[in-house]
């Protein structure tokens, strides 16, 4: 049976979902802006919030940098390549193309490089880290009143970045931040430096936003945080992460709740139990392991051993629901021996993840790992990455083959016109491409039978 969920046209068009508060927005039309986003889901959602913040103040969003008075790059610095990409892109806006435009750098590269960006790319007029986004309107007003360069780089904040209006890009799944920053200190990771200390949002504010999202037509939400399950409600209600999950899932109209990214150290049995007993909580866990070697994990300062990680996997697997589990892995961490890399391969064989995001270690500024001895040569890192990806590909083919003939409920989020297929996700986050006689399925829940399986997605047909 397919149930029809009506998503208001405003949400489908990616228009702002407006919360009913007094915005004090100026009536006059202001400059136009364009935002380009690099990096993770947190960044993508930050861009949605920044867009909402500016729209609420009368700025206009445009879809091309050439049509914009202000061009913002929301940047990522997790690996060196990502950070380099930003400077390459900034170069496109020197000279003619950037003339007359306000070019601004937001996000992690802004926070990491700070005002040095002005030296490297003198045509940039604003740098602003994510912990200072609430000051963006004031920074823009400074520029409007003639200031050549402005910066927002303060990290001493115990506040979260919430806006009255968020312009959501995804018509089917709404993202919302529940915790910002990170209090872990993984030796390879730049995030604590670029996003600042951990701070959770009050549960009432989260629940209120979810209720408004439902009123705006969303049935699926994804809770976001660098370490989402470290959530601790700062308000007197004092909910822990599992209790917050239950409260979000209990909001009438919510059909799917996802969350990412979890840290193994804060992953409790209670989280599994809550998901088990609450159908609206999706049975997918993204639990980054980073390495299968306890020695390497210690050097990474991950705060758990291989065995402790595997124990958490056993809690998830012991449940009745068929959870899918995905992870992140870094290969070529300083000092990683061939046999320690083999330990990561054996972990893949042992856990049989449903997806692995694997990266070559990249030394980052302000991290302790960058000064560690035993750097692994680039060609060895590349070879290890290729071996790992091949091994995981085989695992995924075998796992997905087992799903042939199974039925899943899919929330449809896309259309491949050339292939005549609809596309969507199962509750366990598997991508399914399927054919249907129906005319428009976007935003609907459909029952689909699996008829084909590749390493990264499934193929099916609409059965009701
Ligand atoms: N080098 C390579 N990969 C990294 N990650 C974080 N920092 C680095 C780094 N310096 C990876 C981790 C993390 C994911 C988001 O990015 O696997 O979980
Ligand atoms: Fe980075 Fe570790 Fe914090 Fe994740 S938990 S954001 S990898 S420091």
């Amino acid at each position: 049976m397919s149930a029809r969920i009506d998503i208001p046209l405003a949400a489908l068009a990616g228009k702002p979902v407006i919360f009913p508060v007094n915005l004090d927005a100026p009536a006059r039309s202001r400059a136009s802006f364009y935002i380009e986003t690099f990096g993770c889901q947190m960044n993508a959602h930050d861009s949605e919030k920044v867009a909402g913040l500016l729209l609420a103040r009368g700025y206009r969003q445009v879809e091309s940098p050439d049509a914009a008075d202000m061009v913002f790059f929301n940047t990522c610095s997790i690996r060196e390549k990502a950070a380099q990409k930003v400077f390459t892109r900034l170069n496109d806006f020197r000279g003619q193309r950037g003339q007359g435009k306000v070019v601004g750098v937001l996000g992690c590269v802004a926070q990491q490089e700070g005002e040095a960006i002005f030296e490297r790319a003198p045509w940039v007029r604003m740098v602003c880290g994510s912990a200072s986004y609430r000051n963006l309107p004031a920074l823009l007003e400074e520029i409007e009143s003639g200031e050549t360069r402005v910066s927002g780089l303060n990290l001493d904040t115990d506040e979260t970045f919430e806006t009255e209006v968020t312009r959501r890009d995804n018509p089917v799944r709404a993202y919302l931040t529940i915790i910002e920053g990170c209090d872990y200190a993984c030796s390879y990771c730049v995030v604590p430096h670029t996003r600042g200390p951990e701070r959770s949002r009050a549960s009432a504010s989260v629940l209120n936003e979810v209720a408004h999202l439902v009123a705006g037509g969303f049935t699926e939400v994804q809770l976001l945080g660098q370490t989402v399950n470290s959530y601790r409600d700062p308000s007197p209600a004092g909910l822990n992460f599992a209790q917050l999950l239950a409260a979000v899932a209990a909001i009438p109209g919510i059909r799917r709740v996802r969350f990412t990214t979890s840290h193994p150290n804060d992953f409790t049995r209670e989280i599994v139990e809550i998901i088990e007993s609450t159908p609206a909580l999706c049975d997918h866990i993204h639990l980054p392991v980073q390495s299968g070697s306890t020695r390497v994990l210690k050097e990474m300062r991950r705060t758990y051993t291989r065995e402790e990680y595997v124990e958490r996997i056993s809690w998830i697997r012991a449940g009745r629901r068929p959870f899918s589990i995905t992870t992140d892995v870094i290969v070529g961490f300083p000092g990683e021996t061939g046999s320690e890399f083999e330990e990561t391969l054996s972990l893949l064989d042992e856990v049989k993840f449903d997806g692995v995001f694997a990266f070559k270690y990249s030394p980052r500024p302000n991290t302790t790992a960058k000064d560690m001895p035993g750097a692994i040569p680039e060609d060895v890192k590349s070879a290890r990455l290729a071996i790992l990806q091949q091994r995981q590909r085989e695992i995924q083919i075998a796992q997905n083959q087992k799903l042939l003939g199974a039925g899943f409920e899919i929330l449809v989020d896309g259309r491949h016109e050339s292939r005549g297929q609809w596309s969507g996700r199962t509750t366990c986050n598997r991508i399914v491409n399927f054919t249907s006689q129906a005319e428009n399925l976007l935003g609907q829940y459909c029952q689909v039978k699996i008829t084909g399986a590749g390493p990264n997605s499934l193929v099916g047909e609409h059965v009701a």
Side-chain angles (χ1 to χ4, degrees):
M1 274 276 293
S2 79
R4 195 191 153 77
I5 301 296
D6 285 315
I7 294 191
L9 279 180
L12 282 172
K15 297 252 175 67
V17 172
I18 302 194
F19 298 138
V21 290
N22 185 2
L23 273 178
D24 194 22
R28 70 196 165 92
S29 173
R30 285 176 141 173
S32 59
F33 69 93
Y34 166 81
I35 307 186
E36 195 165 299
T37 309
F38 300 80
C40 65
Q41 197 49 60
M42 291 285 282
N43 258 15
H45 183 46
D46 279 352
S47 290
E48 293 180 331
K49 289 195 272 187
V50 165
L53 186 73
L54 299 184
L55 286 166
R57 279 159 183 80
Y59 296 97
R60 281 176 302 115
Q61 188 166 17
V62 291
E63 295 303 318
S64 111
D66 294 322
D69 303 315
M70 307 188 292
V71 178
F72 299 124
F73 296 100
N74 186 4
T75 61
C76 170
S77 65
I78 196 108
R79 283 167 291 276
E80 196 183 348
K81 256 203 191 132
Q84 272 167 359
K85 240 201 273 176
V86 172
F87 284 101
T88 309
R89 189 69 180 121
L90 279 177
N91 271 334
D92 293 344
F93 287 82
R94 82 194 304 169
Q96 226 17 36
R97 196 162 175 214
Q99 218 141 54
K101 293 188 196 300
V102 172
V103 177
V105 180
L106 312 179
C108 293
V109 173
Q111 192 66 48
Q112 182 186 293
E113 303 288 325
E115 296 187 351
I117 293 174
F118 296 140
E119 309 294 317
R120 207 164 149 186
W123 56 97
V124 170
R125 292 188 58 191
M126 183 175 81
V127 294
C128 183
S130 68
S132 302
Y133 286 163
R134 57 177 56 250
N135 297 331
L136 262 179
L139 292 177
L140 288 179
E141 274 170 21
E142 280 179 44
I143 286 186
E144 282 166 347
S145 55
E147 203 63 60
T148 344
R149 285 173 177 169
V150 295
S151 54
L153 297 167
N154 197 350
L155 265 186
D156 297 333
T157 176
D158 52 7
E159 288 176 6
T160 52
F161 173 48
E162 290 171 43
T163 59
E164 311 89 336
V165 177
T166 299
R167 180 211 183 278
R168 289 192 153 83
D169 294 326
N170 186 322
V172 172
R173 177 188 292 183
Y175 295 92
L176 67 156
T177 312
I178 64 162
I179 175 170
E180 284 177 13
C182 177
D183 274 354
Y184 284 94
C186 301
S187 61
Y188 52 82
C189 185
V190 78
V191 166
H193 178 73
T194 58
R195 286 189 169 267
E198 174 189 300
R199 52 234 185 251
S200 294
R201 258 173 93 177
S203 54
S205 157
V206 172
L207 297 174
N208 192 27
E209 185 167 356
V210 175
H212 283 302
L213 287 168
V214 172
F218 287 99
T219 58
E220 176 173 320
V221 293
Q222 179 157 329
L223 312 182
L224 295 177
Q226 299 293 340
T227 57
V228 73
N229 57 326
S230 312
Y231 177 85
R232 266 173 306 194
D233 186 359
S235 73
L239 305 190
N240 67 18
F241 178 63
Q243 290 164 333
L244 182 75
L245 282 181
V248 170
I251 291 175
I254 279 293
R255 287 185 64 170
R256 286 186 173 186
V257 181
R258 303 182 183 281
F259 55 91
T260 199
T261 291
S262 296
H263 193 294
N265 194 51
D266 295 316
F267 194 82
T268 58
R269 276 175 189 268
E270 192 190 1
I271 296 172
V272 181
E273 284 160 11
I274 280 285
I275 298 175
E276 283 274 291
S277 60
T278 316
L281 298 176
C282 292
D283 41 17
H284 168 223
I285 311 268
H286 184 63
L287 200 62
V289 65
Q290 314 297 3
S291 169
S293 151
T294 294
R295 192 200 70 81
V296 174
L297 287 171
K298 189 150 186 257
E299 292 293 308
M300 289 177 161
R301 295 216 224 118
R302 284 296 286 178
T303 73
Y304 53 84
T305 63
R306 175 189 174 117
E307 289 68 32
E308 284 162 345
Y309 182 86
V310 170
E311 185 186 22
R312 278 147 186 77
I313 298 295
S314 72
W315 298 343
I316 301 169
R317 294 271 188 244
R320 288 179 311 281
R321 290 181 72 180
F323 279 90
S324 77
I325 306 177
T326 54
T327 199
D328 293 345
V329 167
I330 297 176
V331 298
F333 186 78
E336 182 189 67
T337 63
S339 68
E340 286 165 345
F341 169 64
E342 291 285 333
E343 289 185 67
T344 299
L345 294 182
S346 79
L347 185 79
L348 301 193
D349 291 338
E350 184 176 350
V351 175
K352 298 210 166 32
F353 291 105
D354 297 277
V356 173
F357 300 89
F359 310 100
K360 290 190 273 184
Y361 168 72
S362 166
R364 307 306 297 128
N366 306 301
T367 62
T368 53
K370 94 175 190 323
D371 300 318
M372 285 181 184
I376 305 297
E378 206 49 37
D379 57 338
V380 176
K381 284 190 215 171
S382 301
R384 288 182 186 173
L385 183 67
I387 293 168
L388 185 141
Q389 285 174 330
Q390 182 53 29
R391 179 78 64 96
Q392 180 57 27
R393 194 183 146 84
E394 286 158 17
I395 291 170
Q396 281 174 218
I397 290 173
Q399 299 270 92
N400 286 349
Q401 286 288 330
K402 290 187 206 153
L403 300 174
L404 287 173
F408 286 104
E409 185 182 64
I410 310 295
L411 173 54
V412 181
D413 58 16
R415 168 92 184 150
H416 303 289
E417 211 52 71
S418 58
R419 290 189 256 143
Q421 283 178 324
W422 293 97
S423 175
R425 289 185 185 251
T426 62
T427 159
C428 44
N429 213 31
R430 289 195 175 86
I431 297 172
V432 182
N433 298 309
F434 67 98
T435 47
S436 169
Q437 304 301 327
E439 226 157 65
N440 186 2
L441 294 176
L442 196 63
Q444 291 190 42
Y445 289 85
C446 301
Q447 284 299 327
V448 171
K449 188 175 162 204
I450 304 304
T451 55
N456 299 313
S457 62
L458 303 169
V459 179
E461 54 194 39
H462 193 182
V463 291

